[in-house]
Amino acid sequence: RIQGIGSTCQSQVWAEFDDGARMRLTGDPAITVTVEDTTVATTTTAGKLTASTPGSTTVHAVLLNQGTEVVAGERVIQIDAQP
């Protein structure tokens, strides 16, 4: 949830493996972050999100290895008008 139009936050990207181990991938240059509805929020490819208007949108993160998608995930975020 991002509260307040114009507010920003850094998305957090984690990998979860079959054995239950987790690895933080936030900031990895092989990760690309996008949003479905850019009228609600925008993002840099590194995952810095900016709230544009109240609503919800899906944030996608993709890990690429030499241009091939290795793994991907998504999460719905909510944008509130007031902080």
Side-chain angles (χ1 to χ4, degrees):
R1 180 174 295 262
I2 303 176
Q3 297 182 326
I5 304 308
S7 296
T8 63
C9 72
Q10 177 63 47
S11 59
Q12 301 297 305
V13 180
W14 289 83
E16 189 170 316
F17 300 95
D18 291 338
D19 66 0
R22 292 182 54 158
M23 180 188 306
R24 184 173 184 262
L25 298 174
T26 304
D28 186 318
I31 299 288
T32 300
V33 178
T34 59
V35 293
E36 278 186 18
D37 188 346
T38 57
T39 65
V40 174
T42 59
T43 186
T44 65
T45 56
K48 183 177 179 182
L49 300 164
T50 302
S52 301
T53 189
S56 62
T57 187
T58 303
V59 178
H60 299 274
V62 177
L63 172 63
L64 299 175
N65 182 8
Q66 298 181 359
T68 301
E69 183 179 306
V70 176
V71 67
E74 62 186 39
R75 169 99 22 156
V76 175
I77 61 166
Q78 180 68 39
I79 307 298
D80 295 332
Q82 299 297 321

